[in-house]
Amino acid sequence: MKYDTLIVGAGLYGAVFARELSDRGKRVLVIEKRNHVGGNVYTEDVEGIQVHVYGAHIFHTNDKKVWNYVNRFAEFNRYTNSPVANYRGELYSLPFNMYTFNKMWGVVTPQEAEAKIAAQRAAAGIAEPKNLEEQAISLVGTDIYEKLVKGYTEKQWGRPCTELPAFIIRRLPVRFTFDNNYFNARYQGIPTEGYTRLVERLLEGVEVRLGTDYVADKAGFDAMAETVVYTGAVDRYFNYCFGPLQYRSVRFETELLDTPNYQGNAVVNYTDRETPYTRIIEHKHFVFGTQPKTVVSREYSAEWKPGDEPYYPVNDTVNSALYLRYKELANREEKVIFGGRLGEYRYYDMDAVIASALSRLEELP
């Protein structure tokens, strides 16, 4: 065997594994199906602007260990995620806070806002929320749900809110303060040189082969290393033997515009049902760019099918049960470590991906 460890996937999970094992003196090979490293955090330079090719990625964490770790490989700016909601030309602050409540109802005190939400919750007769719609109304009331949650969420998931589980929206920030910071995170920012450069630094000195599909020659690759770290789709690893897991996919329409400022904010969500895209990203604002041009991406949510890029696992009852069957198979693979968003079929923030990789590495002999 030529290598100690074969790592399948050059995203954050795989790159952290590669860095740490290489530093331990292990012989490591990373193979990546795409023609670039970075996975979905990949950024590319367009007119001096770092474009988030697979959608907006804002690094945020309360884990000081993870924050210190990523700062070894990149300089982070002070970007704070403060998206704006556009409902048919009306603009509202996100996350939901006193600016939102004032614009929606004209209230000026937290007590007035809380009373308004409580009255709407009571009118809806919600005691124990059974789905996303009821959960949203219990959090922010009927008015905000109808204008700022329902249309956006149904576009994003391709299903009525009444058919979506309540837990999807439980982490939605609701604040009775004038605070536009979306994340309740101690540390937050964007790599000033882009995420691709961060991943490249993680992979420095490690052999990487791009455009290489592990599943196409699984037996051949397995013979090259004692251990495999697999970050691809777990159902694909097992040739969809129980059927494919479901995901939501995303497509982007990206254009370079001959204007220095298109929308005045990095992220604007379009929350009405009629606008076909969910949001517009203006990439330069992530790093406070002053370039004479700008790059914007319109983001469209789509139902996933095999061959598409999987983005968000659909962790409903049916898919969760299906994943457990694949997990049972994965647990029997003594030579293989399954990790990351696709390998574990779960939604991961970037800091959680890194924390998971570091934790798994600590378990290795």
Side-chain angles (χ1 to χ4, degrees):
M1 291 183 177
K2 187 177 178 182
Y3 302 96
D4 296 306
T5 305
L6 169 71
I7 298 175
V8 181
L12 285 174
Y13 193 97
V16 169
F17 247 88
R19 175 76 276 132
E20 296 304 300
L21 291 179
S22 181
D23 287 349
R24 296 179 190 181
K26 301 293 186 181
R27 299 164 299 164
V28 177
L29 170 64
V30 176
I31 61 174
E32 168 59 53
K33 187 170 67 171
R34 293 171 174 171
N35 63 359
H36 60 74
V37 301
N40 279 9
V41 305
Y42 171 68
T43 52
E44 65 181 17
D45 188 295
V46 178
E47 297 281 337
I49 299 165
Q50 288 296 322
V51 174
H52 297 216
V53 174
Y54 299 96
H57 286 83
I58 298 100
F59 200 93
H60 57 98
T61 187
N62 285 311
D63 190 328
K64 188 172 184 179
K65 177 183 176 182
V66 169
W67 182 245
N68 289 340
Y69 186 83
V70 294
N71 275 269
R72 288 170 48 194
F73 305 98
E75 178 183 345
F76 283 74
N77 66 17
R78 59 171 183 81
Y79 178 81
T80 299
N81 189 30
S82 302
V84 171
N86 184 319
Y87 177 79
R88 299 175 180 170
E90 299 174 10
L91 299 181
Y92 294 88
S93 291
L94 294 176
F96 305 130
N97 62 66
M98 286 303 299
Y99 290 112
T100 319
F101 306 143
N102 175 263
K103 177 74 179 284
M104 184 70 66
W105 299 312
V107 298
V108 295
T109 68
Q111 293 77 19
E112 290 175 306
E114 289 175 341
K116 195 76 173 177
I117 291 172
Q120 294 191 357
R121 183 192 303 124
I126 297 168
E128 281 291 321
K130 300 180 182 63
N131 54 50
L132 188 148
E133 178 175 287
E134 293 183 355
Q135 181 68 49
I137 292 172
S138 71
L139 285 171
V140 293
T142 308
D143 293 341
I144 289 177
Y145 167 70
E146 291 290 342
K147 282 192 172 184
L148 305 184
V149 176
K150 183 177 181 179
Y152 182 90
T153 304
E154 291 185 348
K155 287 188 291 187
Q156 186 178 33
W157 290 98
R159 294 159 175 79
C161 288
T162 52
E163 296 178 11
L164 290 168
F167 74 80
I168 290 177
I169 208 166
R170 280 186 186 139
R171 66 186 213 152
L172 182 73
V174 180
R175 302 197 183 99
F176 295 96
T177 59
F178 292 90
D179 181 3
N180 282 333
N181 181 4
Y182 192 86
F183 296 121
N184 288 312
R186 185 177 178 186
Y187 308 105
Q188 185 174 171
I190 304 281
T192 56
E193 296 180 85
Y195 286 101
T196 299
R197 189 72 189 103
L198 182 157
V199 175
E200 288 172 345
R201 289 191 177 119
L202 282 165
L203 293 170
E204 277 181 5
V206 176
E207 183 180 348
V208 179
R209 299 182 191 176
L210 301 177
T212 303
D213 188 354
Y214 167 75
V215 174
D217 185 18
K218 185 172 173 297
F221 284 116
D222 286 347
M224 295 171 66
E226 295 177 5
T227 305
V228 175
V229 177
Y230 179 80
T231 70
V234 62
D235 50 350
R236 186 168 186 257
Y237 180 94
F238 294 106
N239 198 29
Y240 306 107
C241 63
F242 300 132
L245 291 161
Q246 286 185 303
Y247 298 85
R248 290 296 291 172
S249 192
V250 183
R251 67 178 180 87
F252 301 92
E253 291 179 354
T254 299
E255 58 181 333
L256 174 68
L257 301 176
D258 192 16
T259 180
N261 188 3
Y262 177 74
Q263 63 184 14
N265 204 50
V267 180
V268 176
N269 292 357
Y270 285 77
T271 60
D272 61 278
R273 195 67 180 86
E274 297 76 24
T275 302
Y277 41 85
T278 54
R279 59 182 179 173
I280 297 179
I281 302 163
E282 188 168 6
H283 301 268
K284 70 187 299 180
H285 294 309
F286 288 126
V287 290
F288 317 112
T290 58
Q291 298 87 348
K293 296 184 180 181
T294 194
V295 179
V296 299
S297 298
R298 289 171 178 82
E299 186 172 316
Y300 298 80
S301 186
E303 196 72 32
W304 177 85
K305 60 184 183 300
D308 293 342
E309 190 60 45
Y311 279 81
Y312 304 105
V314 181
N315 295 123
D316 59 13
T317 304
V318 172
N319 283 283
S320 295
L322 182 57
Y323 168 65
L324 288 178
R325 298 179 69 188
Y326 280 116
K327 191 173 188 298
E328 288 178 7
L329 294 183
N331 290 340
R332 297 177 202 161
E333 297 281 307
E334 296 179 359
K335 178 180 174 177
V336 184
I337 295 169
F338 292 82
R341 177 178 56 94
L342 301 181
E344 299 177 64
Y345 193 66
R346 59 179 295 183
Y347 180 82
Y348 263 129
D349 286 327
M350 288 179 286
D351 65 322
V353 171
I354 293 168
S356 175
L358 292 173
S359 176
R360 188 68 180 88
L361 280 155
E362 289 175 358
E363 297 172 4
L364 299 182

